[in-house]
Amino acid sequence: MKTSFYFTFFVLALAVSGCKTDAVVDPETDPQRTSPVNNYAGRDSVFTGAYLGISIGEDAAKTYDIIQSLRPNKGVDYINVVSNFVLDVTSLRGRIPLYSYLLLDESRGTDTGVQITLESGKVKVIYLNSGKKLNQWPTGANSKSSVRVGDKAEDLQAKLLTISRTAKYSNKFQRIFLMTKNVDKAYDPGMGLSPQWYFGYKTATGMDVVKTFFKNGKVDHFEIEHYKDL
């Protein structure tokens, strides 16, 4: 079963899933505060041994390989990667197609931050943090100078580079977050710098959300939050 928990669990994805929020979001401050639409049923922590085949002390790349192996039985299709951002558009080269959710914004979150969702290798939807839905960003710009619904993922880096050189929009490139990782895509070495990944999967009674904490690129511990179906 395909796990789509991140649409309800991830606060920034409120806009992506068609909902609107008036809040100005700041993804640097632990964005996963919105709970799944389930009843919280407790939490476990794992500091020794292994969990789901992932050993404490495992490096990030191997951890990703193991999570990929969970797709057939656990339905883990996405990982949310905390604090996975770059400060330079050129650092995005080759990375955008590996993700399904990006956020462009200033050093502090603003209501004009730009959320881009990708699906099947193309831009599916564009929102501002204010909740305003766009067909393209920036509005009114030509096709080479704007990101548009339907654009191919591999074309975005060049378009974003062009937009970043425009004075009016350059401040939206102060932080570029690569937030929701497609598990069916190759490992991104930049993920290894993240302090935490999290993902969810369905259980017999509801859903578990697994938070994997890293220290120096290796698994430090797990926190598993349990939710029961309503």
Side-chain angles (χ1 to χ4, degrees):
M1 178 182 296
K2 182 176 180 180
T3 302
S4 59
F5 87 101
Y6 73 102
F7 285 112
T8 53
F9 185 71
F10 197 14
V11 64
L12 295 179
L14 288 172
V16 174
S17 59
C19 301
K20 293 186 178 181
T21 176
D22 294 326
V24 176
V25 295
D26 184 356
E28 184 65 4
T29 56
D30 196 8
Q32 71 276 23
R33 292 298 103 198
T34 299
S35 296
V37 186
N38 301 71
N39 289 325
Y40 180 69
R43 182 178 68 179
D44 294 317
S45 299
V46 177
F47 288 89
T48 60
Y51 183 75
L52 294 177
I54 305 168
S55 299
I56 300 297
E58 191 65 82
D59 66 40
K62 179 60 176 177
T63 298
Y64 185 76
D65 288 343
I66 296 171
I67 293 174
Q68 282 188 309
S69 73
L70 299 176
R71 292 185 68 231
N73 295 324
K74 298 292 187 182
V76 179
D77 291 302
Y78 304 95
I79 302 172
N80 288 305
V81 186
V82 175
S83 297
N84 186 29
F85 66 92
V86 299
L87 304 176
D88 183 352
V89 180
T90 60
S91 299
L92 294 175
R93 190 177 303 279
R95 300 177 69 187
I96 293 176
L98 304 179
Y99 290 82
S100 62
Y101 187 80
L102 290 79
L103 172 66
L104 317 175
D105 211 344
E106 301 175 25
S107 296
R108 292 290 299 175
T110 69
D111 62 359
T112 52
V114 183
Q115 305 176 23
I116 301 170
T117 299
L118 299 142
E119 186 175 281
S120 301
K122 295 182 179 181
V123 175
K124 179 182 180 182
V125 67
I126 305 168
Y127 274 93
L128 299 183
N129 284 348
S130 64
K132 183 178 181 179
K133 187 177 182 180
L134 305 176
N135 290 320
Q136 68 175 73
W137 179 81
T139 58
N142 63 41
S143 60
K144 293 184 178 180
S145 302
S146 64
V147 175
R148 300 185 172 199
V149 172
D151 281 349
K152 294 180 179 179
E154 57 265 28
D155 294 336
L156 294 192
Q157 199 271 341
K159 287 193 168 191
L160 292 175
L161 181 60
T162 298
I163 299 167
S164 71
R165 292 170 174 166
T166 305
K168 184 177 180 179
Y169 299 104
S170 60
N171 60 343
K172 295 305 171 192
F173 294 84
Q174 291 175 359
R175 290 191 303 177
I176 308 165
F177 287 84
L178 298 162
M179 308 185 80
T180 303
K181 177 74 175 62
N182 295 336
V183 173
D184 64 343
K185 302 296 184 181
Y187 175 70
D188 174 18
M191 297 171 61
L193 302 176
S194 169
Q196 181 195 143
W197 304 348
Y198 63 95
F199 60 89
Y201 65 92
K202 292 292 292 181
T203 65
T205 59
M207 176 180 292
D208 279 359
V209 174
V210 181
K211 299 179 180 180
T212 307
F213 293 84
F214 292 87
K215 183 178 292 184
N216 299 322
K218 297 183 182 298
V219 175
D220 182 72
H221 68 282
F222 301 94
E223 289 183 1
I224 305 97
E225 295 181 349
H226 308 289
Y227 296 87
K228 291 184 178 180
D229 289 333
L230 294 175

